[in-house]
Amino acid sequence: MRYLLTKRPVGLSRCFLALSTLLTKPPRPAVPSLSFVKAPKGKCGGRKALTLASPDSAAALPPPLPHRAPGERATTVADLTEEALHAILRRLTPADLLRAALACRRWRRAASRALPRAPPLLGYFFHPKGHAKPPPADTEDKTHHPAVFVPLDASSPRLSLNLTPNAARGLSIQDVHLGLVLLLHHPRPKSLLPRILAVDPASSRRVLIPSPPRGTLPDDRWRADRSVIGVSVLSRAHPSRLSFDAVILTVDGDLPRAWVASVRDGDCIWRALPRAEGVVVNFDPCRLLQLDPRTLEFSFMPVPAALGDRINKYRIGEMPEDGRLCMAAIVHEEDLQLWMRGKARWSDRGWLLEREMCMSRVLDKIPGLPKDRMRRMLCTWLSDVDYARTGKLFIRTWGYGRYSFHMETGELEHLLMEDGKEYGDPMYAYTLAWPPEFLAPED
């Protein structure tokens, strides 16, 4: 005998047992125990009906909550061990990690140990450019557009310099470092020491640094033969306050000089360093003028001899792995070389060739770019090495758009804003002052 479970046609709520006799009589199999439960109301007019329930259907139900003795405390997130909490927090994104650190003191201590070494990249500041037509049309758009911020992704905050439209049109970004943005008037005379506007976009605070007073450099006889070549952030004394050091770099005659401003909560003190004797600035593309931020001494750094005197398409950056100084250069208009600082027997003036790739294959991915070698050389050049150590290079073209190229993945991305403008040059990566004050290691 075999027992078969069948159901009545759709619309009937009862189940019944049908008994069928087989010609052969196999051994009776083990039949699960059956129990009867009340069926829901259906077309049977609300009469009480019985249906079959098996152990399998009962197993599908959620298990009952464990019985807790009176006075027994439930397990909560506070019962996580320090190791488990640290393992969880270190897997969060920097933005979520900062939010978790605000939960309580214990989580703040754990978050301070889970902080990444490098500050998180939030996005890029730049001055947009209008779309330029390919040659032989005129050069690109010369209009000075106000600076904008493009977040890295949807989770990044939408930062802004919070400037009025008139002020934004008359200012130009000169440096972005340690969570600060330095701006100068645009246009401005190259021979006058400028005022500097320093903005912290994360806290919406700013300070206007006055130009160095006349008494900063007694007997200043270089006033008529001076050229301001840039400003930069040297250091930041406190990650959450406007306490930092900035520097104005000038060439007085033919020798460089550093003007250092020490800003502490709105108060500024200027000091002018002596000219760097023996460091004659003649703007030779085969030598890099460098300033040591610790000693404030100028010196020259030669480019690799393998690049020769003909090279002018190179940019300076930092290696993604360890932050060492690196140089990206285009050689023979076809090969992209990446050099980094290092000492070895095969080094070239203190530079080591890290990698080399065919640039023509990269440029082939740009739509509409001429295939002719000379025209391609005229239309393309390196714009920047990403300061944020992402392993990206920024490529600028004449009339064919601007792109970012990832040296590891080979991905080429067209950089275009929603309003049709192109990303500007240079691209200033913005990172927070790191670590935040409330997550700084405790003494």
Side-chain angles (χ1 to χ4, degrees), residues 59-384:
L61 299 176
L65 295 176
H67 179 71
R68 189 166 63 247
E72 183 180 355
R73 188 177 64 86
T75 302
T76 64
V77 70
D79 296 315
L80 288 173
T81 63
E82 294 293 334
E83 292 75 13
L85 182 59
H86 177 264
I88 294 173
L89 294 181
R90 65 190 297 267
R91 287 169 170 79
L92 299 179
T93 63
D96 292 334
L97 180 62
L98 296 180
R99 296 187 185 100
L102 300 175
C104 60
R105 290 187 177 182
R106 178 171 177 256
W107 282 41
R108 182 181 66 84
R109 291 194 300 268
S112 64
R113 295 189 295 112
L115 281 176
R117 293 184 178 181
L121 174 64
L122 301 184
Y124 297 90
F125 280 101
F126 56 85
H127 293 274
K129 291 290 185 181
H131 180 70
K133 296 181 180 180
D138 293 337
T139 56
E140 64 179 359
D141 180 21
K142 298 296 184 180
T143 305
H144 179 73
H145 297 279
V148 298
F149 176 78
V150 174
L152 183 64
D153 49 38
S155 63
S156 300
R158 269 54 178 171
L159 300 178
S160 172
L161 297 178
N162 292 325
L163 301 174
T164 63
N166 290 335
R169 284 191 293 268
L171 293 172
S172 175
I173 296 179
Q174 300 296 310
D175 188 33
V176 177
H177 187 45
L178 300 178
L180 296 175
V181 180
L182 300 187
L183 303 102
L184 298 182
H185 283 287
H186 179 87
R188 59 178 178 82
K190 294 292 185 179
S191 60
L192 297 182
L193 296 175
R195 296 185 300 172
I196 305 172
L197 178 62
V199 181
D200 184 348
S203 62
S204 299
R205 289 179 295 180
R206 69 188 68 184
V207 60
L208 181 61
I209 306 174
S211 58
R214 288 184 176 270
T216 305
L217 183 62
D219 191 20
D220 185 7
R221 54 192 178 92
W222 303 103
R223 190 175 295 113
D225 192 13
R226 172 174 295 138
S227 177
V228 178
I229 59 177
V231 300
S232 179
V233 178
L234 278 179
S235 61
R236 191 167 184 178
H238 198 282
S240 300
R241 300 175 185 171
L242 289 179
S243 299
F244 60 94
D245 290 343
V247 60
I248 298 178
L249 305 177
T250 65
V251 177
D252 292 1
D254 56 358
L255 300 180
R257 186 195 302 273
W259 305 70
V260 181
S262 297
V263 181
R264 298 296 181 267
D265 295 328
D267 297 330
C268 176
I269 299 177
W270 281 99
R271 56 192 177 103
L273 302 184
R275 295 195 307 164
E277 298 294 338
V279 185
V280 179
V281 178
N282 55 6
F283 299 101
D284 184 358
C286 294
R287 297 190 304 173
L288 304 175
L289 179 64
Q290 61 179 352
L291 174 67
D292 191 324
R294 294 172 297 179
T295 62
L296 297 179
E297 294 181 354
F298 287 95
S299 61
F300 283 116
M301 179 186 301
V303 301
L307 299 182
D309 297 337
R310 64 189 180 280
I311 292 299
N312 56 8
K313 290 188 176 181
Y314 63 81
R315 291 296 182 266
I316 302 298
E318 296 178 349
M319 293 295 294
E321 297 83 6
D322 51 13
R324 279 194 291 178
L325 195 67
C326 69
M327 173 188 295
I330 298 179
V331 183
H332 305 302
E333 310 303 334
E334 293 181 352
D335 297 331
L336 175 64
Q337 294 183 353
L338 183 66
W339 297 77
M340 68 176 184
R341 294 294 288 176
K343 294 182 179 180
R345 289 184 301 175
W346 57 88
S347 64
D348 187 345
R349 296 178 179 175
W351 295 93
L352 300 174
L353 182 59
E354 174 67 15
R355 70 187 66 174
E356 186 173 6
M357 63 186 68
C358 182
M359 191 64 180
S360 60
R361 296 181 181 178
V362 177
L363 299 180
D364 286 341
K365 301 178 182 179
I366 299 179
L369 191 67
K371 301 297 183 181
D372 180 72
R373 179 177 176 180
M374 295 302 297
R375 294 185 61 189
R376 178 172 288 191
M377 177 186 66
L378 177 66
C379 295
T380 59
W381 59 94
L382 285 180
S383 170
D384 258 321

Side-chain angles (χ1 to χ4, degrees), residues 6 20 48 55 135 173 226 251 278 386 398 405 424:
T6 62
S20 64
K48 292 183 179 180
I173 296 179
R226 172 174 295 138
V251 177
D386 194 357
W398 182 0
F405 173 68

